[in-house]
Amino acid sequence: MKKEEVDVLVIGAGPSGCVASAYLSNHGVRVKVVEKSKFPRFVIGESFLPRSMEHYEEAGLLEALKAKNFEIKAGARFIRGKETCFFDFSNKFGEGWDWTWQAPRADFDHTLAQEVIRKGVDVEFETEVLDVSFKGTDSVTTVRNKDGETYEIGAKFIIDSSGYGRVLPRLLDLDMPSDVTENSAIFTHVKDDGRVGGDEGTLITFDILETQVWFWVIPFSNGNTSLGVVGPTKYIEKLPEDPGEALREAIRRSDYYRDRYLNTEFIFKPHRIKNYSCSVKQNYGPGFTLTGNSAGFLDPVFSSGVCFATESALLSAKLFLKERAGEPVNWEKEYSDYIKRGVNVFSTYVKEWYTGNLQTLFFHQPENPDVKRKICAVLAGYVWNEENPFVQKHDRVIKSMAYLLQNGGSVDEFHI
Ligand code: FAD
């Protein structure tokens, strides 16, 4: 059987795989990417976080993305009936980027992958990983290419960025159920012919239909808009069985968007994803790391998926380089604990969203600008900034503050 040798094998050419491979290639590493599908390909996850801009910048991918003129996302709007709450990233606590993009992933990921290829990385599309075996930290990966040919790739290190494919979690029995509530989603794209001018037309919005059910509107710069509904699986299953009719029904339940989208034609038959949250027992091992969705996924409500994908990819690449340079790496501390710290912050925000506590804080009037700035930093992806009490004390602050407000108190009485 044919056999290739590389330093690092990256599985998957999504944002995670592209950031890891670009960074490694920039540092002279022999890296190869194998990608099951043919690009451009559809994947969900179209709203990004400012924090991820740092990852594209460090990987040398930012300019290629800028050239595509994707829709700028400078904040996010949440609507509940007649109440509105807008987070403007330029008003966030602490340092960091104050904008990012909202973009169709087929174009976005294709742009990343083409730039990675331009940098000289060998990206093999329509090539699927079938099996991986490890001897110490060395590995042999069996793949099948588009001609049906099976061959092996030897690597000193594997970065598993296979997203929902979750290649190593499946092969090494690392899967673990998530502790986030079982939610499901239905989504599609529409041609947004009724788009109004100005910010209203292009603002990314999350419309709360019920405490645990929300509808997303993500307008793209190509004139199309992504629409989706998310809620407890039991709620989603009570909608009509046909995903098109189910999404139509969700639109009907949105007072804000009913007129704009009820009769709009769907560009493709809506997709339904059931119980999407997942986790792993460990996100690294001898000779490999899991990045992005391969390591787990919480919930789409705060658009954190791609940001974690690129954060973990960049860190994997940096730690591989550190180890290759002869410096010791404590993978548990420097990789696993670090990623978990960020995941835990978002996990609290996701859970407190669905309890309604976070919504109490979002919509409380009068707004407390200091509290808002600090929550805004979390929503921008700055979940490792321990100077932010809404990061450092995430497990207590939202619950306690919501309790105070629900019992007639004021945020000003609250000492963080
Ligand atoms: P992916 O982008 O999924 O890429 C993985 C790649 O690996 C794929 O191209 C796949 O073809 C390839 N692959 C799989 N198996 C194999 C194999 N055996 N061999 C070779 N290649 C393989 N995130 C956000 O940031 N913002 C959002 O607004 C958002 N909305 C979401 C809405 C819903 C309903 C859901 C379920 C998720 C959402 N997400 C969102 C999460 C987002 O989809 C993921 O976090 C993100 O795509 C992860 O990127 P990745 O690079 O890890 O994997």
Side-chain angles (χ1 to χ4, degrees):
M1 197 188 299
K2 182 178 121 185
K3 188 166 176 192
E4 280 181 31
E5 289 291 338
V6 292
D7 293 329
V8 178
L9 176 69
V10 174
I11 309 175
S16 180
C18 285
V19 163
S21 56
Y23 191 84
L24 289 170
S25 160
N26 294 344
H27 289 80
V29 175
R30 236 175 358 140
V31 53
K32 180 179 175 98
V33 182
V34 284
E35 165 55 55
K36 184 170 147 184
S37 54
K38 184 178 175 183
F39 275 30
R41 57 94 178 86
F42 174 84
V43 68
I44 197 60
E46 299 145 332
S47 144
F48 312 128
L49 300 186
R51 167 81 183 177
S52 62
M53 303 301 265
E54 295 176 17
H55 309 142
Y56 300 123
E57 194 169 30
E58 275 202 74
L61 297 167
L62 193 62
E63 293 310 312
L65 290 170
K66 276 186 177 169
K68 298 296 286 190
N69 293 320
F70 293 121
E71 191 65 46
I72 301 280
K73 176 185 166 190
R77 176 169 69 171
F78 295 85
I79 293 179
R80 184 172 69 179
K82 295 204 178 332
E83 300 167 290
T84 293
C85 171
F86 178 68
F87 286 95
D88 176 345
F89 292 141
S90 67
N91 286 336
K92 70 179 178 316
F93 172 85
E95 299 289 305
W97 280 73
D98 52 20
W99 66 274
T100 181
W101 290 289
Q102 53 207 47
R105 289 284 301 282
D107 289 353
F108 191 83
D109 292 13
H110 188 53
T111 305
L112 287 173
Q114 289 308 310
E115 187 59 10
V116 166
I117 292 167
R118 208 187 58 79
K119 284 176 179 293
V121 177
D122 173 14
V123 183
E124 208 170 314
F125 292 99
E126 296 179 83
T127 299
E128 180 180 9
V129 170
L130 301 177
D131 197 20
V132 184
S133 64
F134 285 94
K135 206 176 207 180
T137 53
D138 287 344
S139 59
V140 175
T141 297
T142 309
V143 301
R144 185 173 49 223
N145 68 15
K146 65 171 185 292
D147 302 321
E149 188 192 0
T150 302
Y151 70 98
E152 292 179 339
I153 304 168
K156 293 187 177 57
F157 199 78
I158 295 181
I159 297 182
D160 180 5
S161 305
S162 60
Y164 303 98
R166 313 193 81 230
V167 170
L168 289 183
R170 277 190 295 105
L171 292 174
L172 303 179
D173 190 24
L174 298 175
D175 270 318
M176 195 177 88
S178 159
D179 66 349
V180 174
T181 333
E182 290 198 331
N183 278 349
S184 297
I186 305 176
F187 46 86
T188 189
H189 291 174
V190 297
K191 236 184 151 8
D192 205 351
D193 293 330
R195 189 181 284 185
V196 293
D199 283 350
E200 181 58 36
T202 52
L203 202 53
I204 181 164
T205 302
F206 304 90
D207 183 12
I208 300 164
L209 306 183
E210 294 184 17
T211 303
Q212 297 188 321
V213 184
W214 53 279
F215 177 66
W216 83 61
V217 175
I218 308 178
F220 301 137
S221 59
N222 65 5
N224 296 340
T225 290
S226 174
L227 303 180
V229 61
V230 178
T233 298
K234 279 187 189 142
Y235 178 99
I236 298 292
E237 281 177 343
K238 277 193 198 134
L239 292 170
E241 207 177 314
D242 175 78
E245 283 175 38
L247 188 56
R248 232 17 116 199
E249 177 54 32
I251 296 171
R252 195 171 287 118
R253 293 179 191 182
S254 164
D255 289 340
Y256 199 87
Y257 286 109
R258 188 182 306 115
D259 291 347
R260 182 159 152 191
Y261 295 120
L262 189 58
N263 297 312
T264 317
E265 209 178 302
F266 298 149
I267 291 175
F268 54 84
K269 190 175 168 67
H271 295 226
R272 190 195 296 255
I273 299 193
K274 194 174 162 184
N275 300 336
Y276 44 66
S277 304
C278 55
S279 188
V280 282
K281 295 174 201 158
Q282 60 184 80
N283 60 4
Y284 74 98
F288 74 88
T289 55
L290 311 179
T291 68
N293 265 40
S294 177
F297 176 62
L298 292 168
D299 194 89
V301 68
F302 299 123
S303 308
S304 57
V306 173
C307 186
F308 275 115
T310 49
E311 182 91 31
S312 51
L314 192 60
L315 186 57
S316 292
K318 286 180 179 176
L319 292 176
F320 168 81
L321 285 169
K322 186 177 170 191
E323 202 166 63
R324 195 174 80 144
E327 284 183 60
V329 171
N330 182 336
W331 288 94
E332 183 66 22
K333 203 163 151 244
E334 294 174 65
Y335 187 69
S336 186
D337 288 353
Y338 174 87
I339 295 297
K340 270 188 211 154
R341 274 210 307 280
V343 169
N344 287 344
V345 175
F346 263 116
S347 177
T348 297
Y349 279 70
V350 165
K351 287 175 188 163
E352 294 295 4
W353 173 263
Y354 289 105
T355 60
N357 284 336
L358 201 53
Q359 295 171 31
T360 301
L361 265 56
F362 279 20
F363 295 106
H364 181 74
Q365 290 294 336
E367 280 182 347
N368 177 312
D370 187 46
V371 167
K372 198 166 179 192
R373 263 168 18 93
K374 289 171 177 159
I375 293 179
C376 187
V378 171
L379 302 192
Y382 290 95
V383 287
W384 286 273
N385 180 3
E386 297 277 337
E387 284 172 15
N388 184 351
F390 279 77
V391 168
Q392 205 204 11
K393 300 176 187 170
H394 64 92
D395 49 344
R396 282 165 285 150
V397 69
I398 299 165
K399 208 186 285 303
S400 315
M401 209 174 260
Y403 180 81
L404 189 75
L405 295 178
Q406 284 152 2
N407 289 285
S410 145
V411 171
D412 302 329
E413 298 166 31
F414 202 88
H415 301 288
I416 331 167

